[in-house]
Amino acid sequence: MEAPKRMVQIWMLILGAVIIYSDDHIFVRRTFSESVTAEEAKQLRDEVREMFYYAFDGYMEHAFPRDELKPLSCEGEDTLGGYALTLIDSLDTLALFGDRERFTDSVEWIGKNLRFDINKTVSVFETTIRILGGLLSAHLIASDYNTGMRVPSYDGELLDLAEDLARRVLPAFDTPTGIPFGSVNLVHGVDENESKITSTAGGGTLTLEFGVLSRLTNDPIFEQVTKNAVMGIWARRSKINLVGAHIDVFSGEWTQKDAGIGTSIDSYYEYLLKAYLLFGDEEYIFIFQEAYRAAMHYLYNDPWYVEVNMNSAALVWPLFNSLQAFWPGLQVLAGDIEPAIRTHAAFFSVWKRYGFTPEGFNLATLSVQRGQKSYPLRPELIESTYWLYKATRDPRYLDAGRDMLASLQYGARCTCGYCHISDVEFHTQEDHMESFFLAETVKYLWLLFDLAAGPDNLIENGPYKYIFSTEGHLLPMTPQISLVREHCLYFGAYCRSSNLRLETNISGIAKKPGETNHSKTYSCPGPTCSLSRFTPQNSPTISGLVKGYCPGLTHGQRFGIKYAASADANLQDESPTQRPADVVQSHSLVLVSNHNADQVDHEKDQESSVDGSVVAQGEERQQGKLIELFEGR
C-alpha cells in the first residue's frame, strides 16, 4: 500500500487536491478558487508595487547605505561589501515602475559616492550578478532616451564604476583552468590562503555581465575570461555530459560529483542559453543542447528532478531543492514547454502545501528535508510562473501568483520589510531580507500581473527585447550588445588584418568618418571583426587582429531604431509589404523598428524555438518564435 499511496500523494499535491486517508481507502477532494480577472490583476499589480515600496522605503530609512535591511529589528547590515547593495540591486526595478524621481536620485547618489577601492574580500559570483549586473542595467537605462528613463545629469558614471569593479575581480580568473576563485579582495586580489574549490554555478555564471561590459567598453578581456571559465568547466564534464557541483580551480578535479539542476549548478545551464540569446555565440547553444539533453535523460524523473553521480548516473538524492524552480522558466526560453508545465505544477504543489517552498523537499518521504526548512524569499518559482504565463496565457499561473503573493503578505511581511522564513512548517520569521527580494521576487510578481492587466512597462512596450540576468537585471538586446558580426561598424572595433586597408593621410585633417588625424589608419570594410585585442606595431606588416578605425554607427543604427518627423509622412507612400510592423508614437518623433537586411538576418540568428524543444533538432540550430516572448505576443 505504501508505494501506491506515495504516488497518489505526489499527483494529488500536483493537482491541488486535499487527500484524506481512512484505513485503506483514499478520498480525494479537489479544491477550487475563482480565477484572477483582468480587474483583479490590476489590483494585485498595485499590491505588489506597494509591497516593493514598503520594503524599499524600510531599507532606505533604516539600513541605507549598508548592504541589506534587517526587517524585524529595522537595522542595516553589510553582507557583501558594504556598498549599498540593496539600492544597486533595486535600480532597474525602480525604472521598470517608471519611478523617475527615485531612479534619478539613486543613480546620481551612486555616481557621486560609490567606490570599490576598499579592503574587502567578496564573492566573485554574488558581486558579479548583483553589483556589476545592477550597475550595467541601470547605466543602459539611464543613458538612453528610448527607455523613457534617461537621467539628464548622467554621464556614464555607473559604467565607469562597473569597469573599475570588474578589473578588481579579474585576478580571480588567473588559474590554470581558467575557472575563477570563489572570492577576491577588491584591493589586494586573491589571498594566498583562498580556497581553490568553487561551485559550477559560481565559475560559470558570469558571461552575461562581463560580456555586456566588453561590448560597452570595447575591451574584450572581460568576455574572454568568462568564456574561458565556461569552457574550462565543460571540458571537464563526464562522459555522459553531466557536470558536478564543486571543482578545484587549479587541478580541474571535481570535489563534489553530484549532478543536478539546483544548488551549486543551476545558473550554469541558464547562462549557456542566455549567453547565446544575448550575444549570438553559437558555441554556447551547442554546449547547452548537449547539457540539456543529458539533464533531461539522467536527471528528469517526470515531473521532478533528482541528483545523480555525474559519472555513473546513480541516484544520490531524491530531492527537490528550491533553486530548481528556475528550470521551467528556462525551458520556456528553450521552447520545451510541455515538461515545464508538469514540473511547475509539481513545484507549486510544494508551495501550496507549506505556503512557501522549503530549501529542500525529500521526494522519498514527501516531507521537508531536515536542515533545509527555510524560505529566504527566493524568486525562482515566481520567475517560472511569469514565463509560463507569458508563453501560454493560461490563467492558472495568475492564480498561482495570487497564492504566492498572499503567502508573502501574510507570512513574510514584518516590522519594516519582508522577513526570511526560517521554518516553512511553522512560518517562523527571521531578521533578514536579501537584496534579491527587490531585484527579482517582487519584479517577476509585478510583471506577471502587469502582463494580465494590459502591460505598460519598459520590458513589454519598450524599444528593445530584454534578457534577464540570473539576478533579474535587464540586459537589452541592442545591436551594440547583440550583433557580434557587426562589431567592425563601431569606431575603435577590433578587426581582422586580412580585411584591413592601410590608409595614409597627406594632411593632418581627417577626410572620412573612419579616418583620424594620425598619419595611418586601419579601415575595416566588412563585418568580420573580432573582439580579440592586438596592438598594431609601426611595422608595415600587419597580421592577427588589430584595432581598426571603423565608421561609427548612427544613433539609430546603434539602438536598432530610426527617427521620422511623423508617422503619416513616412508611411503614406509605402506599400503594405514595406510598412514597418511596429510604430510607437513618442511626442513629435516616431520610433520605427529598423529592419535592414543585415539586422533581419542576425535577428533570425538570435531567435530560438517556442513551439518545439531546442534539443529536438540535435546539433541543428532552432529557428522558432522566441522573439514573440520578448514582444509579449
Side-chain angles (χ1 to χ4, degrees):
M1 179 64 187
E2 284 304 314
K5 181 186 291 186
R6 185 171 297 149
M7 289 307 300
V8 169
Q9 280 183 295
I10 290 175
W11 282 104
M12 291 305 101
L13 278 172
I14 293 170
L15 293 173
V18 174
I19 307 164
I20 305 171
Y21 292 101
S22 176
D23 297 328
D24 290 335
H25 300 284
I26 301 174
F27 301 92
V28 178
R29 179 170 61 84
R30 183 70 186 272
T31 59
F32 295 93
S33 62
E34 291 186 13
S35 293
V36 174
T37 63
E39 185 59 35
E40 186 182 2
K42 293 180 183 178
Q43 296 172 359
L44 292 170
R45 178 189 61 189
D46 294 341
E47 185 177 345
V48 175
R49 185 186 180 96
E50 186 278 333
M51 169 190 285
F52 171 84
Y53 281 109
Y54 179 72
F56 182 79
D57 291 344
Y59 166 76
M60 294 301 294
E61 181 178 350
H62 301 289
F64 176 78
R66 303 191 75 179
D67 280 339
E68 292 178 330
L69 171 69
K70 300 177 71 173
L72 274 177
S73 58
C74 296
E75 299 173 348
E77 60 180 334
D78 288 330
T79 54
L80 187 59
Y83 32 57
L85 169 63
T86 296
L87 179 63
I88 296 171
D89 230 0
S90 304
L91 287 174
D92 58 2
T93 308
L94 289 169
L96 186 63
F97 287 167
D99 191 338
R100 181 184 300 278
E101 181 179 355
R102 297 199 196 196
F103 179 71
T104 298
D105 290 344
S106 299
V107 167
E108 289 178 344
W109 185 90
I110 291 169
K112 292 176 182 178
N113 296 281
L114 195 63
R115 297 293 179 269
F116 294 117
D117 53 344
I118 52 178
N119 186 16
K120 289 285 183 91
T121 297
V122 299
S123 163
V124 171
F125 171 72
E126 297 292 352
T127 299
T128 297
I129 67 171
R130 299 198 200 195
I131 300 296
L132 184 60
L135 291 172
L136 290 171
S137 179
H139 160 74
L140 289 162
I141 294 170
S143 61
D144 187 356
Y145 281 105
N146 301 309
T147 63
M149 294 296 293
R150 187 182 183 279
V151 176
S153 62
Y154 181 68
D155 192 28
E157 293 87 354
L158 301 193
L159 181 59
D160 294 338
L161 285 167
E163 183 176 4
D164 175 57
L165 176 61
R167 292 195 186 281
R168 295 176 184 277
V169 172
L170 281 179
F173 292 87
D174 187 14
T175 66
T177 62
I179 304 168
F181 286 96
S183 299
V184 64
N185 186 284
L186 295 177
V187 173
H188 304 296
V190 179
D191 187 271
E192 60 180 9
N193 297 316
E194 179 63 38
S195 171
K196 295 181 175 62
I197 309 302
T198 194
S199 69
T200 297
T205 311
L206 311 166
T207 49
L208 294 190
E209 293 84 0
F210 275 71
V212 167
L213 183 61
S214 274
R215 309 302 168 98
L216 297 179
T217 61
N218 266 335
D219 190 335
I221 187 63
F222 307 111
E223 185 167 5
Q224 286 177 344
V225 295
T226 52
K227 185 173 183 178
N228 287 344
V230 171
M231 297 305 176
I233 292 172
W234 183 244
R236 290 161 177 85
R237 69 192 183 277
S238 70
K239 292 182 179 179
I240 56 176
N241 288 335
L242 293 177
V243 293
H246 290 92
I247 192 169
D248 187 308
V249 301
F250 266 61
S251 68
E253 294 293 323
W254 294 99
T255 58
Q256 185 181 352
K257 298 182 180 180
D258 300 350
I261 62 165
T263 305
S264 299
I265 303 176
D266 52 350
S267 47
Y268 179 74
Y269 289 101
E270 179 185 3
Y271 270 34
L272 286 174
L273 179 58
K274 289 184 176 180
Y276 163 70
L277 296 176
L278 187 59
F279 303 135
D281 189 329
E282 294 187 358
E283 286 184 271
Y284 288 119
I285 193 62
F286 293 150
I287 295 174
F288 176 78
Q289 287 175 329
E290 294 298 315
Y292 182 78
R293 183 183 294 111
M296 295 302 289
H297 183 74
Y298 296 108
L299 308 178
Y300 185 44
N301 189 7
D302 194 354
W304 307 92
Y305 289 81
V306 296
E307 294 183 9
V308 304
N309 180 276
M310 64 179 289
N311 295 311
S312 65
L315 179 65
V316 176
W317 284 103
L319 191 72
F320 158 66
N321 68 68
S322 60
L323 288 176
Q324 293 177 357
F326 88 100
W327 190 259
L330 184 68
Q331 289 181 305
V332 170
L333 291 182
D336 203 4
I337 294 181
E338 287 303 318
I341 291 172
R342 295 195 297 274
T343 294
H344 178 276
F347 292 172
F348 182 59
S349 72
V350 179
W351 183 291
K352 290 279 284 186
R353 181 170 182 172
Y354 298 106
F356 302 100
T357 47
E359 290 291 78
F361 179 75
N362 194 304
L363 301 176
T365 63
L366 292 178
S367 62
V368 178
Q369 181 69 20
R370 182 176 298 179
Q372 299 184 31
K373 294 185 176 184
S374 66
Y375 169 68
L377 304 177
R378 291 202 184 279
E380 284 78 13
L381 186 60
I382 298 172
E383 176 186 359
S384 287
T385 304
Y386 163 68
W387 281 111
L388 276 165
Y389 180 70
K390 192 166 187 177
T392 67
R393 293 303 196 273
D394 190 323
R396 82 174 85 170
Y397 300 112
L398 295 177
D399 300 343
R402 176 176 57 188
D403 287 347
M404 290 186 279
L405 174 57
S407 293
L408 290 167
Q409 290 287 58
Y410 293 108
R413 192 172 177 119
C414 52
T415 311
C416 52
Y418 287 81
C419 288
H420 283 199
I421 303 300
S422 60
D423 188 326
V424 298
E425 293 180 303
F426 299 99
H427 288 195
T428 310
Q429 293 184 342
E430 181 182 338
D431 196 12
H432 190 56
M433 188 181 81
E434 293 268 10
S435 67
F436 59 64
F437 177 70
L438 297 179
E440 298 182 83
T441 307
V442 174
K443 181 182 292 170
Y444 285 119
L445 201 53
W446 187 86
L447 284 170
L448 171 68
F449 296 126
D450 188 63
L451 197 59
D456 182 20
N457 63 70
L458 183 64
I459 295 169
E460 306 297 342
N461 299 342
Y464 317 121
K465 297 177 286 291
Y466 285 88
I467 294 292
F468 291 83
S469 76
T470 196
E471 187 73 6
H473 292 307
L474 312 179
L475 302 175
M477 299 172 69
T478 64
Q480 184 183 22
I481 292 172
S482 296
L483 299 188
V484 176
R485 295 181 304 178
E486 303 298 325
H487 267 284
C488 68
L489 293 179
Y490 295 91
F491 182 83
Y494 294 88
C495 307
R496 296 193 180 278
S497 61
S498 60
N499 294 294
L500 294 177
R501 296 192 304 269
L502 182 62
E503 300 176 356
T504 302
N505 296 335
I506 298 176
S507 70
I509 301 174
K511 300 176 181 179
K512 300 177 183 178
E515 297 177 350
T516 70
N517 290 336
H518 298 291
S519 60
K520 295 181 180 180
T521 62
Y522 300 97
S523 178
C524 180
T528 55
C529 298
S530 168
L531 282 175
S532 297
R533 180 182 289 280
F534 178 86
T535 304
Q537 306 296 323
N538 293 327
S539 168
T541 302
I542 305 174
S543 62
L545 300 162
V546 301
K547 187 169 183 177
Y549 294 97
C550 309
L553 291 184
T554 66
H555 185 269
Q557 289 172 323
R558 181 177 181 184
F559 293 105
I561 58 173
K562 58 187 177 183
Y563 296 88
S566 69
D568 296 337
N570 286 277
L571 299 178
Q572 264 183 342
D573 299 330
E574 292 181 351
S575 67
T577 57
Q578 295 173 321
R579 188 166 297 168
D582 300 308
V583 178
V584 182
Q585 186 69 44
S586 178
H587 304 292
S588 61
L589 296 178
V590 177
L591 305 184
V592 184
S593 298
N594 186 14
H595 294 299
N596 60 46
D598 291 339
Q599 288 172 328
V600 170
D601 287 343
H602 190 76
E603 283 185 6
K604 289 180 180 178
D605 291 342
Q606 291 290 89
E607 295 173 2
S608 178
S609 174
V610 165
D611 295 333
S613 168
V614 75
V615 299
Q617 301 288 337
E619 296 300 324
E620 296 181 5
R621 299 181 56 207
Q622 300 293 307
Q623 299 295 332
K625 300 179 181 178
L626 172 71
I627 195 170
E628 294 182 4
L629 279 178
F630 291 98
E631 293 180 346
R633 294 178 184 171

